[in-house]
Amino acid sequence: MSETVFTYAAPALKFGPGASDEIGHDLQGYGARRVLVVTDAGVAATGHPARIADQLAARGLEVTTYDGARVEPTDASLVEAIDFARDAGPFDAIVAVGGGSTIDTAKAVNLLTTNPGELMDYVNAPVGKAQAPSRPLLPLVAVPTTTGTGSESTTICVLDVLALHVKTGISHPALRPRLAVVDPQLTLTQPAMVTAASGMDILCHALESYTARWYADFDAKRPEERVPYCGANPVADMWSERSLTLLAGAFRTAVRDGSDSAAREQMALAATFAGLGFGNAGVHVPHANAYPIAGRVRDYRPEGYPADEPIVPHGMAVSLTAPEAFRFTFEADPERHLRAARLLEPDADLGAGPDVLPGVLTRLMRDIGIPNGLAEVGYGDADVEPLVDGALKQQRLLATAPREVTGEDLAAVFRGSMEHW
């Protein structure tokens, strides 16, 4: 039997300039008294976390701040944050102030301070044991300072497992934040490359969920078998289409002029809408490929990110194979791929079939300064096999692809992504 049911869930949302000034009021509504604020050193330097912590304290809440979240979390960095919270706790609520890395760190802290066991017990199979939480988690308020990851809306915590040189994650509905507080004013401090990379994450969230396998094309599931990623569906489609429309109007402007508050607000809306879509429909090939691209980085250090160690930021890693990935998935639903291209570039010539959406993407990537393919971040043909191996470990994502994906298919996508223009 084919599936007849799709699911949809989302956190409560508070959006708009000044929204971050009201978190103390919201936490009091949850009955919180002791609060852990999670952030990273770069975001801490902007003053946003301290301002929010002061506002919480003014409401009579006891606040502890952890500013050691790592950009692109690893199993080691998450364990460090969890140990800090276990020692400093117990807490009644957690507030994450930062990008997706910080929010994901807070999700892991929330999970492991309320549930027994160790981190790898909960990491997705086959890397970890994929254990489900057995106890309720604390209220988590996610306050994004970047426009991209959508982590404030999702059930996913992404991490690098250092020993395996692979990115993977923890996925469970209990990880979804209770409240997403999206204040566009907090994103004005984003450097241009962070805006570009995280914006490509928004774009791929919207495109991948929009082109994902249709929910009714899956086999029917029992209630206990349902997972957060249920495939493309009418509700997720609505959010993805609107996100693509917003990106078409604001993305280049936000990268070119970070002080443009209107463009920043549109990017924040696009990120929120994309998160509300992909957090239920799912993502597929570009995200599966991104995990080994980021996990196996050698010496690439992009402008605007911490320079103390090499990094391929998540959104950049996702984008680097996106043109070839959507060329591969085109035959599954040409009409959707062409509509997505037209939403992003209203005057796009649709006559080139499978090359239309890749062309729209590469023009955008070139305009906003994304590297010209995998070669520019340090990969070559000899890396294709280990990259494929890493992507094949992401079966939770590949299962959502609109076509069956083999190792040979992935190898062709990686080889075709060495240079885009």
Side-chain angles (χ1 to χ4, degrees), residues 66 68-84 86 101 104-105 108-109 112 118-124 127-128 157-170 295:
Y66 176 74
R70 184 184 188 274
V71 177
E72 305 297 330
T74 67
D75 49 347
S77 76
L78 293 183
V79 168
E80 182 178 325
I82 292 162
D83 288 345
F84 175 93
R86 284 172 171 169
S101 296
D104 284 2
T105 299
V109 167
L112 271 301
E118 302 302 327
L119 184 67
M120 295 305 293
D121 293 335
Y122 298 94
V123 169
N124 294 327
V127 179
C157 163
V158 177
L159 66 146
D160 278 306
V161 179
L162 294 174
L164 301 178
H165 300 285
V166 69
K167 249 185 166 55
T168 183
I170 303 171

Side-chain angles (χ1 to χ4, degrees), residues 6-7 209 212-215 218 228-234 236 277 280-282 400:
F6 70 87
T7 58
S209 59
R213 187 176 177 185
W214 188 247
Y215 79 95
F218 288 91
Y229 284 0
C230 66
N233 61 77
N280 294 275
T400 315

